[in-house]
Amino acid sequence: MTALLEGRTAIVTGAAQGIGLAIATTLVGHGARVTIADLDGAKAEAAAAAIGPAARGVACDVTSEESVAALVAGAVAEYGGLDVIVNNAGITRDASLKKMTLENFRAVITVHLQGTWLGIRAASEVMREAKRGSIINISSMSGKSGNPGQTNYSAAKAGIVGMTKAAAKELAHHGVRVNAIQPGLIRTPMTEAMTPEAYAATEATIPMRRAGEPEEIANVVAFLASDLSSYMTGAVLEVSGGRGM
Ligand code: NAD
């Protein structure tokens, strides 16, 4: 039996660590060749070297139009095409409305919304020509339910849902599918920055009574990246252990 993603090529942004790294590792495990893109280029290269020859690491700032254009052009030049992009890069700048600065707000909106939009636009140009492709955007349950201290992040992650559906409607007849995933609480460096009290309080609200592992998001990405999900577009999949259903 051939591997699920044999012959496919993918880009994963923000993939030097956490969920993105698990996604890149899983896609390679299913037979894809993957470009690991991250703000931290050295870390992206080290991650790719650890995965093996089917991965390459590059520096990319998803907020920069030039950087994202170079990322997509480089992946196409290296692998001869682009079948999958996972817009995963993200940051948090949590604060109450009382304490959040405009800079905190803008930074989060820019990385998530502008970054995802630039990724969708650049990748879809290549995919539209090829008449096939799968774009996967990483939203969050915060975008569905809203989290106190995350007015910036919740807005950005809800925005990714609207962007996913609009792009899905534009690109469906070109053979390009666009879907989103809303992870719940996942154990990564991002959530390790939470206080133990906040982490425990969040875990207690999860029906499955545990945080998820990055691989549990990566497996759903592999499904959306592959032909197993060939009739799905504009879908938003909650991967949250039941939290926020
Ligand atoms: P993380 O902080 O562990 O990793 C994020 C990566 O993105 C880092 O390697 C970072 O260098 C990179 N990055 C940040 N800004 C960038 C930029 N401008 N250009 C390129 N790369 C950039 O985070 P994570 O927990 O692995 O989260 C990955 C994604 O999943 C994010 O979009 C996050 O919002 C989302 N998410 C995470 C959780 C969770 O519980 N961890 C839950 C829901 C959604």
Side-chain angles (χ1 to χ4, degrees):
M1 207 166 95
T2 54
L4 192 59
L5 297 171
E6 194 69 50
R8 305 287 168 97
T9 69
I11 289 173
V12 187
T13 68
Q17 64 176 35
I19 292 173
L21 178 57
I23 292 170
T25 308
T26 298
L27 296 184
V28 168
H30 285 293
R33 285 172 298 162
V34 177
T35 299
I36 292 177
D38 203 282
L39 201 53
D40 187 336
K43 205 168 166 187
E45 282 173 26
I51 290 175
R56 57 192 283 271
V58 299
C60 174
D61 178 354
V62 298
T63 67
S64 153
E65 187 173 22
E66 297 73 31
S67 190
V68 173
L71 168 67
V72 170
V76 170
E78 188 72 24
Y79 293 141
L82 181 65
D83 301 298
V84 177
I85 187 167
V86 187
N87 293 304
N88 166 79
I91 60 168
T92 49
R93 296 285 184 273
D94 296 357
S96 63
L97 278 169
K98 228 169 157 176
K99 294 196 177 139
M100 189 178 290
T101 62
L102 182 57
E103 196 187 2
N104 294 155
F105 178 78
R106 279 198 182 130
V108 168
I109 294 293
T110 306
V111 171
H112 292 275
L113 280 185
Q114 186 170 311
T116 300
W117 183 78
L118 285 170
I120 292 173
R121 192 182 61 165
S124 64
E125 230 175 275
V126 177
M127 292 172 174
R128 195 190 276 119
E129 286 299 307
K131 301 237 167 294
R132 69 170 203 189
S134 173
I135 298 174
I136 299 147
N137 301 323
I138 305 300
S139 172
S140 167
M141 289 304 291
S142 306
K144 180 186 180 189
S145 314
N147 274 343
Q150 291 194 319
T151 48
N152 50 1
Y153 185 80
S154 300
K157 290 306 203 185
I160 287 175
V161 170
M163 192 186 294
T164 298
K165 293 181 179 182
K169 286 182 178 172
E170 274 193 37
L171 296 168
H173 64 286
H174 293 292
V176 181
R177 300 183 295 109
V178 190
N179 294 288
I181 294 174
Q182 293 187 313
L185 180 68
I186 308 297
R187 197 184 306 278
T188 71
M190 181 182 275
T191 47
E192 276 159 16
M194 290 165 75
T195 63
E197 296 74 34
Y199 195 90
T202 307
E203 234 178 357
T205 66
I206 302 169
M208 285 178 75
R209 287 285 183 269
R210 66 171 178 86
E213 298 301 325
E215 292 70 26
E216 294 180 293
I217 302 301
N219 289 337
V220 180
V221 170
F223 164 70
L224 289 175
S226 79
D227 295 339
L228 288 178
S229 58
S230 55
Y231 199 51
M232 287 177 72
T233 197
V236 181
L237 302 184
E238 296 178 13
V239 187
S240 67
R243 180 166 167 245
M245 71 174 93

